[in-house]
Amino acid sequence: MASIATTFLSRAPSSLPSLSKTIPSPSSSTFLFLSTKKRPPPSLRPPPASPRATAATSGTQKQPSIESEERVQQVHTIAEFDAALRSAKNKLVVVEYAASHSPSSRRIYPCMVELSRTCGDVVFLLVMGDESDETRRLCRREGVDKVPHFTFYKGMEKVHEEEGIGPDQLVGDVLYYGDNHSEVVQLHRREDVEALIDEHRGIEGKLVVLDVGLKHCGPCVKVYPTVVKLSRSMADAVVFARMNGDENESCMEFLKDMEVVEVPTFLFIKNGKICGRYVGSGKGELIGEILRYQGF
């Protein structure tokens, strides 16, 4: 759990050092700037499956181009990087900083490719830090000295960054910062919450589960994939919603009124009234609390 006594009750600092990072173990990340010696052209892409390779070499089947298989855009210059962030506008942009000599980069890249196929409203960028002097300058500008390193942007603002993470954590991060199409209702101001509560008033109204978090909260990110899954499996009886308390002043004021002091906090609302709450990120405990209050 994360306390929000200093970050929620006052304005969250905008400086990048306030962003949370996963501290990698020595084996999970590689130092990027070990040497300026030129390396072979980088390639993170795994070799094609045997049937496709056989067909391609025999001439019986044309091998698909890389562009048709994935949506990960590799950028080679600072100008290309900045242009990609601008063109994304308010979409989530996920950037992987990698290196051709990093085994961890090779292991995580297929997960990036798979996410690029399934998350059509998220922009995925790849920066090979050891590709050239230009990409090294980009990494230094962005404060990246180990790979694999992931940064998340919205509206050209860096909202999150992590390094040394695995596929499950990457998927959770993308869901948390880029979810627009699940059954979870995204709330951005106090009026959104009040409208949702009014919509489900009455005896026949559904239980509303409000997930309250912060933009840079590790436990909030961890539990969110569970929230998404429950929103699908319990859609007939429960409405799931989410609000980040540090998104704007309206959210801050609402959460203070609700006496939320730690995140993630789940508020259970039935017939217009808060009937209970759960503070934590345990999947089993959360499901138990939902079942408990569903019958109120």
Side-chain angles (χ1 to χ4, degrees), residues 2 6 42 62 66 117 134-135 138 197 226 264:
T6 56
K62 185 178 180 180
I66 291 170
R117 294 167 179 163
E134 182 79 359
T135 57
L138 173 58
I197 292 174
T226 296

Side-chain angles (χ1 to χ4, degrees), residues 226 278 281-291:
T226 296
Y278 166 66
S281 58
K283 177 180 178 181
E285 291 89 342
L286 175 59
I287 294 174
E289 291 298 297
I290 292 173
L291 295 176

